Amino acid sequence: MSVLTRDEAQTRARLLDVQRYTIELDLTQGDDTFDSRTLIAFTAREAGDTFVEIKPAALRSVTLDGQPLDPESLTDDRLALTGLTEGPHELHIDASMRYSRTGEGMHRFTDPTDGETYVYTQLFMDDVQRTFAAFDQPDLKSVFELTVTAPDGWSVLANGITEQQPDGSWKAAATPLISTYLVAVAAGPWHSVRTEHASIPFGIHCRRSLAPYLDADADEILDITRACFDRFHEKFDEPYPFDSYDQAFVPEFNAGAMENPGLVTFRDEFIYRSAVTDTERQTRGMVIAHEMAHMWFGDLVTLQWWDDIWLNESFAEYMGYQTLAEATRFTDTWVDFAVARKGWGYDADQRPSTHPVAPDPEAVPDTASALLNFDGISYAKGASALRQLVAWLGEKDFLAGINTHFARHRFANATLADFIESLASATDRDVHTWAAQWLGTTGVDTLVPEVTESAGNWSLDIGHGTAQTAPVAPGVPSAARRPHHLVVGLYDHDPADPERLVLRDRLEADLPADESVTLGSAGPRPALVLLNDGDLTYAKVRLDPVSWDAALRSLSSIPDALTRAVFWNAARDMVRDGELAPTAYLDAARAHLPRESDLAITQGVLTFAATQIADRYLAPADRPAALATL
């Protein structure tokens, strides 16, 4: 097995223009293999040599422009195409392919409940070669036409609307230009719930044994789908770019979900088979919104090479949380992000294995190295950076830049530089410098407040504490010293109930990189001064002693759940950094969790208290008492 390098992909992209794949899959050949016949129509811009990828069980025949090629010449899943002349070509490949039992390529599953069998594709990165022959790189987009022969009683789903033909096969509508890794097929005796919205067919699908559970939640799933769809059309000038929208909940899926155009696949654990919490329903809703955002960012406009995969995922992560909060009943989704996702990014960013959100292209020389960047930095830190960008730019300018990006690169490929140029066209702010400071460095800033009182006035000085540093690649700045646009929450004790905190004001502040900023006003100092109230930036925050005491006394009285989440994250970071005794965190949990109304906060605090404090930070002799407290 060979790994595609960036240099090889660039060379092939300069040589080839791929117009169309015509693919015939026969799923009636038994339990182990299926037949795959592919016709690739492409043009060579000049004379030269290249290769096509395929990972067959058996390669039966290959012809190039009507001339047979030797199937035995296949080496390391590559078939050399030598002596290409300038102009159009047709490549025919007939092969037998293996079903997968581990989630790559064409996965096959037999349901132990009723014996029914299902197959579906997962072609991300370089697994399309397990299903059909392809010039397998994201910037060689093409039209795909699929015909699938399936057993009697099966239905077939694909990127486009599928129709059963008179001979019993299923033909999918030709796709617009998409990347090879986004082609999708799902076949089996699906249980389907179908509707139409905005003149587009919508469907949700699962295996038959889960039908009662899908039916029970169908209204909720479709309501969220419709609401997010409508909200994206309010945000984006470009209409939904495909002819249908199917969501298939598939068994043994080895990811959370996959953004195949027109046919999103989800792990079928999202079809709940017992009572679940509202937070779990919210998570499912966020994943629905996340994958739908990819229809524009990732599918309509696709990365040129895998070094920019973070941007696909960060954008969808940001849009998933934001759009679900705006369009559905799940209005507190950013609380869940703060306590369940953001810590993932903070932790990853403080390890020696940290890397910039946007890695240097030289750091992603091939497909194997690209997989190393699927972590808390690509998802959680990247989404946090985009949220900070929106706060800094303003949503109007951000969306104007996004819509410019879609218009410039629709059904094509783009780089981070293209994205930044599109944003820069919509604002007078220096987006290029912002990107260098936020996306090209590693580590986490620590924001430290210093509150002073004098002659009836108070002032707040916000500064950068000691930045976390970690060894990274040569030439990559490792010390985080970033500008931050943040909100400072000011809270007072309620005169009618001193145990209760009430909001006095929220102040917006721009903290430059490597500088401090001073705020303040006349009157007594607030009881609680909370940096990053609203959680708009990505940084660890500290509390001054007076604010810490006020929070410990009255935290659960603060009505805004996201404010409480910021406090809990600050406490978590202080424990991790050795600035707060683990037992103090447990005392705060014991005092406030019984009155906590947000389940995501409760889950997050209990998880950290049990798995980190009780299991790791305390001496073994103290563990029983900690667990008793919990």
Side-chain angles (χ1 to χ4, degrees):
M1 173 181 172
S2 59
V3 173
L4 183 68
T5 69
R6 182 194 192 97
D7 290 343
E8 289 173 329
Q10 290 175 336
T11 299
R12 189 162 61 177
R14 286 192 295 268
L15 177 64
L16 299 184
D17 177 31
V18 186
Q19 286 87 40
R20 184 174 297 265
Y21 287 76
T22 305
I23 302 162
E24 297 178 1
L25 303 177
D26 187 344
L27 309 179
T28 65
Q29 299 302 303
D31 295 347
D32 297 322
T33 62
F34 60 97
D35 286 349
S36 174
R37 298 178 182 86
T38 307
L39 165 61
I40 310 176
F42 67 97
T43 299
R45 296 189 177 93
E46 59 187 34
D49 302 332
T50 189
F51 58 90
V52 67
E53 293 101 326
I54 187 170
K55 300 178 181 179
L59 185 57
R60 288 191 283 254
S61 67
V62 184
T63 61
L64 178 61
D65 302 328
Q67 300 299 312
L69 302 183
D70 182 6
E72 295 298 321
S73 65
L74 182 70
T75 303
D76 290 334
D77 307 321
R78 293 182 177 187
L79 187 71
L81 305 176
T82 57
L84 289 175
T85 58
E86 181 180 352
H89 298 275
E90 285 193 351
L91 178 66
H92 292 254
I93 296 182
D94 183 0
S96 174
M97 312 296 285
R98 292 183 184 87
Y99 286 114
S100 167
R101 299 301 196 276
T102 54
E104 306 88 1
M106 181 78 77
H107 184 83
R108 185 181 180 94
F109 168 84
T110 298
D111 193 334
T113 303
D114 57 12
E116 298 283 8
T117 296
Y118 302 83
V119 301
Y120 62 89
T121 55
Q122 169 70 332
L123 306 185
F124 180 71
M125 192 71 76
D126 57 3
D127 283 331
V128 65
Q129 308 158 34
R130 301 174 186 270
T131 302
F132 57 88
F135 298 115
D136 192 12
Q137 59 191 72
D139 58 342
L140 287 178
K141 284 190 165 184
S142 181
V143 172
F144 291 84
E145 286 187 302
L146 275 80
T147 301
V148 179
T149 301
D152 292 341
W154 284 22
S155 58
V156 176
L157 309 170
N159 300 101
I161 295 172
T162 60
E163 293 183 352
Q164 193 164 22
Q165 305 302 297
D167 65 0
S169 66
W170 294 76
K171 186 174 180 59
T175 70
L177 293 172
I178 62 174
S179 298
T180 51
Y181 79 93
L182 294 170
V183 176
V185 172
W190 302 108
H191 171 71
S192 300
V193 179
R194 299 182 184 274
T195 186
E196 187 175 284
H197 183 68
S199 300
I200 292 175
F202 278 25
I204 52 176
H205 315 271
C206 71
R207 48 189 161 119
R208 284 181 178 173
S209 64
L210 299 183
Y213 309 109
L214 180 66
D215 289 346
D217 276 359
D219 287 346
E220 178 178 286
I221 293 170
L222 289 171
D223 284 349
I224 289 172
T225 302
R226 286 186 286 255
C228 292
F229 186 90
D230 292 344
R231 186 63 179 138
F232 282 129
H233 277 87
E234 294 171 2
K235 290 175 178 286
F236 303 151
D237 296 339
E238 180 74 26
Y240 175 70
F242 306 103
D243 70 2
S244 53
Y245 197 72
D246 287 296
Q247 297 174 99
F249 296 85
V250 298
E252 297 183 334
F253 198 53
N254 62 8
M258 180 63 197
E259 65 270 18
N260 312 301
L263 176 56
V264 178
T265 44
F266 300 82
R267 61 188 313 137
D268 68 9
E269 285 84 353
F270 281 125
I271 302 300
Y272 300 129
R273 295 150 226 188
S274 61
V276 295
T277 67
D278 220 37
T279 299
E280 289 173 281
R281 294 183 178 278
Q282 176 177 279
T283 297
R284 180 174 66 187
M286 189 282 296
V287 177
I288 290 172
H290 174 116
E291 301 306 327
M292 189 180 290
H294 274 308
M295 298 298 115
W296 286 265
F297 212 112
D299 296 358
L300 175 70
V301 179
T302 309
L303 48 81
Q304 187 167 303
W305 180 246
W306 301 109
D307 55 326
D308 283 329
I309 192 65
W310 74 270
L311 190 53
N312 276 19
E313 297 306 335
S314 297
F315 182 88
E317 184 96 341
Y318 168 76
M319 280 293 175
Y321 281 97
Q322 184 66 22
T323 304
L324 192 71
E326 293 172 352
T328 75
R329 68 182 179 88
F330 297 111
T331 56
D332 283 335
T333 57
W334 284 113
V335 177
D336 186 52
F337 179 83
V339 296
R341 296 291 276 184
K342 209 167 184 182
W344 183 31
Y346 287 144
D347 291 351
D349 210 10
Q350 295 176 86
R351 298 187 183 113
S353 57
T354 187
H355 56 86
V357 171
D360 186 276
E362 299 303 317
V364 190
D366 52 44
T367 52
S369 58
L371 283 173
L372 300 177
N373 287 335
F374 277 81
D375 57 12
I377 294 174
S378 295
Y379 283 80
K381 181 181 178 181
S384 300
L386 288 183
R387 192 172 192 221
Q388 169 65 187
L389 176 63
V390 174
W392 180 69
L393 278 183
E395 187 177 43
K396 180 181 178 182
D397 287 352
F398 176 75
L399 289 177
I402 291 299
N403 283 309
T404 297
H405 191 62
F406 293 158
R408 287 176 174 176
H409 305 287
R410 64 189 303 272
F411 294 115
N413 300 82
T415 64
L416 171 61
D418 296 324
F419 176 70
I420 298 302
E421 284 297 328
S422 295
L423 291 176
S425 71
T427 180
D428 293 331
R429 293 227 178 195
D430 186 355
V431 183
H432 294 86
T433 297
W434 183 94
Q437 293 171 317
W438 270 88
L439 307 178
T441 60
T442 65
V444 186
D445 274 350
T446 301
L447 306 184
V448 180
E450 183 176 337
V451 184
T452 57
E453 293 180 90
S454 176
N457 299 321
W458 70 278
S459 65
L460 166 66
D461 186 74
I462 308 171
H464 292 268
T466 301
Q468 179 270 333
T469 62
V472 291
V476 176
S478 60
R481 278 288 192 272
R482 304 185 181 98
H484 296 270
H485 180 86
L486 70 155
V487 172
V488 181
L490 310 178
Y491 296 84
D492 295 319
H493 289 295
D494 186 347
D497 182 2
E499 296 300 313
R500 185 170 175 267
L501 287 170
V502 294
L503 179 67
R504 177 195 296 186
D505 200 1
R506 285 193 171 101
L507 306 178
E508 292 194 35
D510 279 307
L511 175 64
D514 284 320
E515 296 181 34
S516 62
V517 65
T518 301
L519 307 172
S521 65
R525 66 151 287 165
L528 168 62
V529 177
L530 185 63
L531 304 185
N532 198 27
D533 200 358
D535 204 32
L536 295 178
T537 196
Y538 173 86
K540 297 187 289 188
V541 300
R542 298 295 188 248
L543 281 76
D544 69 278
V546 174
S547 296
W548 180 257
D549 290 342
L552 285 182
R553 176 180 169 187
S554 305
L555 174 67
S556 51
S557 71
I558 298 175
D560 186 67
L562 194 50
T563 298
R564 302 194 301 273
V566 170
F567 167 82
W568 283 114
N569 277 349
R572 172 189 181 277
D573 290 330
M574 290 170 69
V575 172
R576 291 185 86 257
D577 293 343
E579 297 179 22
L580 178 68
T583 51
Y585 187 97
L586 292 178
D587 288 342
R590 176 167 51 191
H592 295 291
L593 283 193
R595 290 176 283 171
E596 177 55 60
S597 59
D598 190 283
L599 185 58
I601 291 177
T602 303
Q603 290 178 174
V605 172
L606 284 175
T607 298
F608 181 71
T611 62
Q612 300 297 317
I613 290 180
D615 288 353
R616 297 180 179 177
Y617 287 114
L618 294 179
D622 297 328
R623 187 171 183 269
L627 293 177
T629 295
L630 297 179

